[in-house]
């Protein structure tokens, strides 16, 4: 009876589906606004969310994570498991079967060779791939035929779904990128600005740090999709302007990452054109402590590299004191309201992986002062501590955003109470997260002492996310300043836990190990200082149908299913 009801419900839903869904492009235009403008359309050359998500409309992975964090096939016929024979019993390989008849937007066949090439491209030792941790443990990739990809692991891989799953690990076309390997990756401007893909849209025009015009892919695998003929992704401005453009003026249909105070969002919704939707996942606003010296007095090429440890922040007592001085409850109340919760964890979800670490939730100014006294930093008559002739002075940078600047002002005030001189700096978000190896202002280059931002990970397993902090995975000149270990943390004991996690199959044991790794980065070393577990707030037009809010993948993950309701 339950199955019959389900089938009947599906039939009714299909009958009531908008007629526009029956023909590709019949719903005209859809507009998306990201107040951080994309600067490149390659997740392999930029870890910035806005770049990853802008490219997700064009290039796709084998599978994605839906709004509930479930794995769903995209370019693959199904998600491989032990039960269906796709994952080896000994967990040393995973076999993906591609859908038949897939073609790139240029009409050429999509084959297993493209999948293998993507791995070779990212794993090239001179490429500095921004998603290298996605291929952690991969030994080789075989392509026995055009529709079969076999990934072999160096050791049993209990979670074999990092490579080619989610927006951070899509497939790129071999024919387009085969001359862009290694150090040449950054030089392939045409490919990096206009990738050929299998997704619902193609790039018609890309103006870096400004706007992208897309058109429907005429070779998309579903002849009825996408419903929209064109899509504009406008970048730049600020979160306030983006929210208004959806909820007050109706100029756009989706506004990404509305990092705004709760009362501001409520006022915008009164405009009647849209609503603010929140969804919690793993997005954590945090402060990263630079473990290397970013001093401009160092020779170019050595600045912010492991060759020079940080003269102040290498002392854990200083890092801990900076964390203790922060009132996370007040930051959350002012910045996010119900769309945020204070946290001490880098990995706040899923629940099984979330540590019970709560030590940081109570502000302790007196304790922070005592810790700095113990570390030998003496309070001066001007309120700034010194040690061995050095002032306790820090450059604190982040992207330009009203909430982040409020956070900076409050944290600067608290740090002044413990004798820390703090210079504040904010950088245009499109530049800060842009990944341009020639820019001194990117979060990867980290030419500051501390910096604040947020990111999250695809799916519901944190293995590849935690693996980012492996020794040697830091941005550096030899990798074109690409890399995932932003704060340059390095501990062989942590690296051993990365390997152990990759070899641990039992879920409870994996969770215990992930919590231990989380705690090492946060409460044991304070190289990462979590502040707020942020709900991802998105402005959505009242006339946009089919949008499913996923915090586990790209916000735009199901753009092929969007349609106009009126």
């Amino acid at each position: 009876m339950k199955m019959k009801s389900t089938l009947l419900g599906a039939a009714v839903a299909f009958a009531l589906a908008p007629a526009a869904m029956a023909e590709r492009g019949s719903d005209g235009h859809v507009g998306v606004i990201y107040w951080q403008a994309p600067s490149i359309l390659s997740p392999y050359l930029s870890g910035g969310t806005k770049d990853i998500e802008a490219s997700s409309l064009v290039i796709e992975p084998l599978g994605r994570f839906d709004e509930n964090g479930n794995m769903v096939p995209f370019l693959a016929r199904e998600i491989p498991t032990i039960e269906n024979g796709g994952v080896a019993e000994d967990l040393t390989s995973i076999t993906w079967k591609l859908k038949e008849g897939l073609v790139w937007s240029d009409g050429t066949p999509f084959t297993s060779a493209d999948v293998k090439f993507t791995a070779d491209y990212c794993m090239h030792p001179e490429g500095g791939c921004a998603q290298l941790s996605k291929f952690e443990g991969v030994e080789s990739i075989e392509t026995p035929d055009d529709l079969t990809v076999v990934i072999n692991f160096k050791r049993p891989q209990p979670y074999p779904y990092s490579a080619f799953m989610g927006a951070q690990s899509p497939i790129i076309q071999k024919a387009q990128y085969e001359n862009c390997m290694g150090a040449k990756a950054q030089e392939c401007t045409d490919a990096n600005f206009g990738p050929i893909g299998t997704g619902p849209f193609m790039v018609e025009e890309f103006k870096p740090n400004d706007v992208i015009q897309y058109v429907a892919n005429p070779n998309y695998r579903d002849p009825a999709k996408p419903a929209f003929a064109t899509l504009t992704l406008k970048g730049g401005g600020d979160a306030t302007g983006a929210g208004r453009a959806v909820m007050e003026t109706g100029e756009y249909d989706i506004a990404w990452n509305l990092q705004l105070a709760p009362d501001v969002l409520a006022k915008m919704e009164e405009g009647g054109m849209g609503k603010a939707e929140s969804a919690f996942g793993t997005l954590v606003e945090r402060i990263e402590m630079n473990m290397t010296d970013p001093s401009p007095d160092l020779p170019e090429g050595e600045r912010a590299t492991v060759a020079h440890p940080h003269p102040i922040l290498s002392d854990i007592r200083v890092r801990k004191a900076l964390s203790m001085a922060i009132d996370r409850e007040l930051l959350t109340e002012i910045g996010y309201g119900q769309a945020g919760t204070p946290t001490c964890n880098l990995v706040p979800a899923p629940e099984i992986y979330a540590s019970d670490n709560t030590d940081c939730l109570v502000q302790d100014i007196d304790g922070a002062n005592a810790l700095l006294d113990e570390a030998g930093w003496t309070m001066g008559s001007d309120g700034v501590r010194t040690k061995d002739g050095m002032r306790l002075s820090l450059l604190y940078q982040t992207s330009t955003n009203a909430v982040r600047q409020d956070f900076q002002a409050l944290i600067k005030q608290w740090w002044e109470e413990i004798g820390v001189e703090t210079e504040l700096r904010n950088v245009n978000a499109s530049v800060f997260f842009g990944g341009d190896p020639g820019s001194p202002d990117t979060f990867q280059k980290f030419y500051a002492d501390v910096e604040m931002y947020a990111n999250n990970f695809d799916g519901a397993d944190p293995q590849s996310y935690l693996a980012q902090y492996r020794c040697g995975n830091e941005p550096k000149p030899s990798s074109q300043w690409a890399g995932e270990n932003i704060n340059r943390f390095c501990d062989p004991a942590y690296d051993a836990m990365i390997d152990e996690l990759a070899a641990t199959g039992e879920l409870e044991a994996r969770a215990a190990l992930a919590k231990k790794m989380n705690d090492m980065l946060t409460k044991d070393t304070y190289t990462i200082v979590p502040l707020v577990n942020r709900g991802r707030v998105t402005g959505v037009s009242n006339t946009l149908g089919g949008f499913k809010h996923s915090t586990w993948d790209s916000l735009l993950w199901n753009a092929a299913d969007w349609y106009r309701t009126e």
Side-chain angles (χ1 to χ4, degrees):
M1 187 66 184
K2 182 177 180 181
M3 179 61 73
K4 183 177 180 181
S5 298
T6 300
L7 292 173
L8 180 60
V12 171
F14 181 79
L16 295 177
M21 291 299 288
E23 183 179 349
R24 175 180 294 150
S26 57
D27 280 1
H29 185 74
V30 63
V32 178
I33 185 165
Y34 275 48
W35 53 271
Q36 293 178 11
S39 57
I40 195 170
L41 292 179
S42 172
Y44 295 117
L45 298 180
S46 172
T49 302
K50 39 88 176 185
D51 299 320
I52 294 170
E53 300 200 354
S55 65
S56 74
L57 293 164
V58 178
I59 49 179
E60 301 178 300
L62 299 182
R64 288 198 183 281
F65 301 94
D66 69 12
E67 70 274 21
N68 298 312
N70 300 315
M71 292 184 289
V72 292
F74 259 57
L75 300 180
R77 298 179 205 170
E78 62 183 355
I79 299 297
T81 64
I82 292 177
E83 290 74 20
N84 64 27
V87 176
E89 291 280 352
D90 63 2
L91 305 178
T92 59
S93 69
I94 181 172
T95 300
W96 292 90
K97 292 290 187 178
L98 307 182
K99 291 178 178 177
E100 295 183 4
L102 292 175
V103 296
W104 294 97
S105 57
D106 64 1
T108 59
F110 173 91
T111 73
S112 58
D114 295 299
V115 183
K116 182 182 186 304
F117 171 80
T118 300
D120 293 340
Y121 174 90
C122 185
M123 295 171 67
H124 194 288
E126 298 176 8
C129 179
Q131 308 299 337
L132 186 59
S133 65
K134 290 291 185 179
F135 299 89
E136 181 80 25
V138 173
E139 182 174 48
S140 64
I141 296 181
E142 301 172 23
T143 55
D145 59 58
D146 284 350
L147 298 179
T148 305
V149 179
V150 182
I151 304 174
N152 299 303
F153 300 110
K154 298 175 183 176
R155 60 188 71 85
Q157 196 80 358
Y159 186 81
Y161 304 110
S162 292
F164 311 125
M165 278 293 300
Q168 296 173 6
S169 188
I171 315 302
I172 58 176
Q173 188 190 56
K174 179 180 179 180
Q176 186 180 31
Y177 282 89
E178 58 187 346
N179 294 321
C180 304
M181 299 287 280
K184 296 181 179 179
Q186 294 280 357
E187 300 173 7
C188 293
T189 304
D190 289 346
N192 296 333
F193 285 5
I196 295 168
T198 57
F201 293 95
M202 305 186 308
V203 177
E204 182 178 54
E205 182 181 19
F206 178 32
K207 297 179 180 179
N209 302 317
D210 185 8
V211 65
I212 310 171
Q213 301 291 351
Y214 302 84
V215 295
N217 176 3
N219 291 307
Y220 187 63
R221 55 189 171 274
D222 187 331
K225 297 179 180 179
F228 293 104
T230 57
L231 184 152
T232 296
L233 194 156
K234 172 62 179 173
D238 54 36
T240 301
R244 287 174 175 165
V246 171
M247 293 183 280
E248 293 183 4
T249 69
E251 183 181 359
Y252 287 88
D253 297 288
I254 290 178
W256 167 82
N257 190 24
L258 296 184
Q259 197 175 355
L260 299 167
D263 59 324
V264 175
L265 289 170
K267 183 67 175 177
M268 287 181 181
E269 286 187 323
E270 293 177 6
M273 303 297 291
K275 56 188 178 298
E277 294 187 2
S278 297
F280 279 89
T282 59
L283 186 64
V284 172
E285 190 79 13
R286 90 288 290 269
I287 290 175
E288 300 259 354
M289 303 282 179
N290 197 339
M291 301 303 292
T292 61
D293 189 353
S295 172
D297 296 333
L298 292 170
E300 190 62 33
E302 296 184 28
R303 187 179 178 189
T305 69
V306 295
H308 300 280
H310 199 286
I312 296 173
L313 296 176
S314 293
D315 188 338
I316 186 176
R317 293 170 295 184
V318 176
R319 302 195 301 269
K320 184 176 181 179
L322 293 172
S323 176
M324 292 170 67
I326 296 172
D327 185 343
R328 290 162 174 80
E329 294 278 357
L330 182 57
L331 290 179
T332 304
E333 178 184 345
I334 290 174
Y336 299 100
Q338 294 183 347
T341 57
T343 187
C344 304
N345 291 324
L346 177 65
V347 180
E351 185 177 357
I352 191 173
Y353 290 109
S355 171
D356 59 1
N357 175 21
T358 58
D359 293 349
C360 79
L361 297 183
V362 177
Q363 184 186 40
D364 186 0
I365 295 291
D366 292 340
N369 272 309
L371 199 57
L372 291 175
D373 289 340
E374 176 190 315
W377 290 92
T378 304
M379 186 71 78
S381 58
D382 60 353
V384 178
R385 292 178 180 269
T386 60
K387 180 180 179 181
D388 300 330
M390 179 182 295
R391 292 170 68 83
L392 185 45
S393 180
L394 301 175
L395 173 58
Y396 172 13
Q397 74 176 11
T398 189
S399 63
T400 304
N401 168 271
V403 171
R404 286 192 170 135
Q405 270 67 80
D406 287 345
F407 276 30
Q408 280 187 306
L410 285 168
I411 291 171
K412 176 179 180 176
Q413 176 182 323
W414 294 323
W415 285 354
E416 285 176 345
E417 292 182 41
I418 62 172
V420 179
E421 182 179 56
T422 309
E423 178 186 351
L424 301 181
R425 181 169 180 254
N426 65 82
V427 181
N428 179 281
S430 299
V431 175
F432 188 66
F433 295 110
D436 179 358
S439 171
D441 298 322
T442 66
F443 82 112
Q444 297 102 322
K445 194 161 280 188
F446 206 166
Y447 281 178
D449 302 298
V450 299
E451 65 184 7
M452 180 173 65
Y453 63 93
N455 66 11
N456 60 345
F457 55 90
D458 281 347
D461 187 276
Q463 179 178 316
S464 62
Y465 189 62
L466 291 168
Q468 293 178 352
Y469 294 93
R470 185 185 287 278
C471 298
N473 198 23
E474 72 281 351
K476 46 189 174 290
S478 62
S479 67
Q480 309 294 314
W481 292 104
E484 302 163 295
N485 185 353
I486 301 301
N487 62 28
R488 287 67 161 155
F489 169 81
C490 179
D491 189 328
Y494 185 86
D495 287 2
M497 285 191 283
I498 295 175
D499 296 336
E500 185 181 354
L501 181 61
T504 301
E506 199 274 318
L507 188 59
E508 293 294 338
R510 286 179 65 77
L513 189 55
K515 291 176 183 177
K516 187 176 180 181
M517 296 169 73
N518 171 90
D519 290 351
M520 178 178 280
L521 294 170
T522 55
K523 74 175 183 178
D524 295 343
T525 65
Y526 294 91
T527 53
I528 297 175
V529 176
L531 303 173
V532 182
N533 177 17
R534 289 172 41 194
R536 182 151 70 175
V537 181
T538 303
V540 183
S541 167
N542 291 335
T543 68
L544 181 67
F547 173 77
K548 293 183 178 179
H549 199 173
S550 174
T551 63
W552 311 104
D553 204 301
S554 167
L555 180 70
L556 313 176
W557 75 281
N558 78 322
D561 301 330
W562 299 348
Y563 58 89
R564 189 68 66 196
T565 60
E566 60 181 60

